[in-house]
Amino acid sequence: MIDNGHAEPVAESTAETGQVWYLPHFSVYHPKKGKIRVVFDASVHFQNKYLNEELLPGQDHINSLVGILLRFRTKPIALSCDIQKMFLNFKVTTEHRDYLRFLWVNPNLSEVKEYRMTAHLFGATSFPGVATFALRKLATQNSSKNPEASAFITKNFYVDDGLASVASVPEAIKLIGDATKICADANLRLHKFASNNRDVLKSIPITERASETQGLDLYKEKLPAKRTLGLEWRTDDDCFTFSNNLTKKPNTRRGILSVVSQIYDPLGLLTPFLLQGKMIMQRACKESEKWDDDVPEDITNDWNRWKSQLDELQDISIPVLPV
């Protein structure tokens, strides 16, 4: 973060001047990506104050998730992409950086250093609004020169994830090129491109493709599945699928709620199945007094029967052909 200019040392001359705030931080490891992300906690209280209560969220510019997913498959050629480290690419004004200080201890515990963020960070109330507003502003500035790419950035991004569908391969290639250039001019990198069309993928530099396709022989091998806004998109045969990666929980009210809540279904494709699980949860709330008590035997039997069907979710595929 320091090498990339996202954080800077606090100068000794300013170490004790003005108002400051120190943020606790911790690391989160993503097992699938093999990466560690630093997360700052802007909701930690100190003397009855915390940073997030002093920040305003601003106007909600985030697009509807359902709307993006529906527009994603109105035309036959689909593509998705991602803005690399979106929040960290937007700078915080110098006079506000002292509210984003943090301490760093050397590995040998011999020295504690003070740093402060120069860029927006995950976890602060105001920063999603700032980043989304800036992205829309960028699109507006380019709307007359590149209307299609500007509309894509404005309407079809959910924070840092972009999804689109177009009528032909040439349109897809042009859209990717124009959107990439608009973002690059503002020091934003569009990458992790995926598509259901091999010709579109061939037009994209290997380093800018999604990691699942970087080492792929596009002439011979099957296109892999891609996680898209929480949905499993099987690009080779263009279907939405579901996987069962749920953690095991005890047969209690808390455990049942946890399992039902883990199934992500923004388009309601699994509603007939999920409704059964929610009805079991409703019965458990009525007949079990405490959250961590085992539910009655009749509910346990119905719950185990419902859970036994979870593995069959991976056999469901929803064709996402254009309407």
Side-chain angles (χ1 to χ4, degrees):
M1 291 171 63
I2 296 168
D3 291 343
N4 290 330
H6 300 147
E8 62 185 9
V10 174
E12 292 185 9
S13 59
T14 62
E16 299 298 333
T17 61
Q19 289 185 319
V20 300
W21 188 263
Y22 289 88
L23 291 165
H25 55 84
F26 55 94
S27 62
V28 174
Y29 176 70
H30 196 302
K32 291 185 178 179
K33 296 181 179 179
K35 296 180 180 179
I36 292 177
R37 171 179 288 174
V38 179
V39 176
F40 294 89
D41 194 341
S43 296
V44 166
H45 287 65
F46 176 71
Q47 295 183 351
N48 296 320
K49 289 283 186 181
Y50 61 99
L51 182 62
N52 271 344
E53 75 172 346
E54 304 296 331
L55 300 174
L56 298 175
Q59 187 175 351
D60 184 5
H61 291 284
I62 298 177
N63 290 310
S64 163
L65 176 60
V66 173
I68 292 174
L69 288 170
L70 291 177
R71 289 191 295 276
F72 174 53
R73 292 324 329 271
T74 56
K75 296 178 182 178
I77 309 297
L79 59 95
S80 67
C81 61
D82 173 82
I83 299 176
Q84 184 183 41
K85 298 178 180 178
M86 179 174 171
F87 286 2
L88 295 176
N89 283 294
F90 295 102
K91 293 294 184 179
V92 176
T93 54
T94 304
E95 61 267 29
H96 294 157
R97 293 177 184 177
D98 281 327
Y99 296 103
L100 303 177
R101 290 193 186 188
F102 63 95
L103 303 176
W104 186 262
V105 183
N106 284 352
N108 57 12
L109 305 181
S110 62
E111 186 180 14
V112 177
K113 292 188 176 182
E114 287 190 44
Y115 293 93
R116 64 182 187 177
M117 293 297 296
T118 65
H120 291 287
L121 48 81
F122 295 94
T125 297
S126 61
F127 294 169
V130 170
T132 306
F133 172 82
L135 192 62
R136 284 175 171 254
K137 181 72 173 177
L138 175 64
T140 301
Q141 291 172 343
N142 289 271
S143 59
S144 58
K145 187 185 298 183
N146 292 302
E148 292 82 8
S150 297
F152 165 54
I153 294 172
T154 301
K155 297 180 180 179
N156 292 308
F157 265 83
Y158 190 79
V159 189
D160 58 348
D161 291 302
L163 281 73
S165 61
V166 296
S168 66
V169 171
E171 286 182 65
I173 294 174
K174 184 178 187 303
L175 179 63
I176 291 171
D178 290 345
T180 299
K181 186 179 186 308
I182 289 174
C183 290
D185 289 343
N187 294 318
L188 299 174
R189 180 191 174 197
L190 277 187
H191 69 151
K192 296 183 180 179
F193 281 96
S195 177
N196 61 345
N197 186 279
R198 295 171 188 267
D199 292 328
V200 172
L201 287 173
K202 291 173 191 174
S203 72
I204 303 169
I206 293 177
T207 56
E208 304 307 301
R209 297 178 196 165
S211 58
E212 297 91 341
T213 61
Q214 287 185 0
L216 202 68
D217 186 338
L218 297 178
Y219 294 95
K220 299 178 181 178
E221 297 183 73
K222 183 178 180 180
L223 295 180
K226 174 77 167 58
R227 196 80 174 166
T228 305
L229 290 181
L231 290 177
E232 199 82 13
W233 178 32
R234 208 164 60 198
T235 57
D236 199 65
D237 54 1
D238 214 4
C239 289
F240 285 139
T241 61
F242 303 90
S243 57
N244 177 17
N245 297 318
L246 306 182
T247 55
K248 291 184 178 180
K249 299 291 181 179
N251 291 344
T252 62
R253 283 170 57 183
R254 193 185 306 277
I256 293 174
L257 176 62
S258 176
V259 171
V260 172
S261 300
Q262 286 181 62
I263 301 175
Y264 183 70
D265 181 34
L267 293 177
L269 301 172
L270 298 178
T271 296
F273 174 69
L274 288 179
L275 185 59
Q276 298 177 38
K278 292 178 179 180
M279 290 172 67
I280 295 173
M281 174 65 202
Q282 186 180 53
R283 288 169 53 200
C285 289
K286 290 180 178 179
E287 299 185 28
S288 181
E289 292 185 2
K290 297 182 179 179
W291 279 97
D292 295 310
D293 287 347
D294 288 339
V295 297
E297 185 178 355
D298 61 323
I299 297 178
T300 297
N301 293 335
D302 290 342
W303 176 242
N304 288 335
R305 190 178 304 112
W306 186 84
K307 284 195 302 181
S308 68
Q309 301 175 68
L310 287 172
D311 289 335
E312 297 178 27
L313 291 180
Q314 60 193 7
D315 298 327
I316 298 175
S317 61
I318 310 294
V320 282
L321 298 174
V323 296

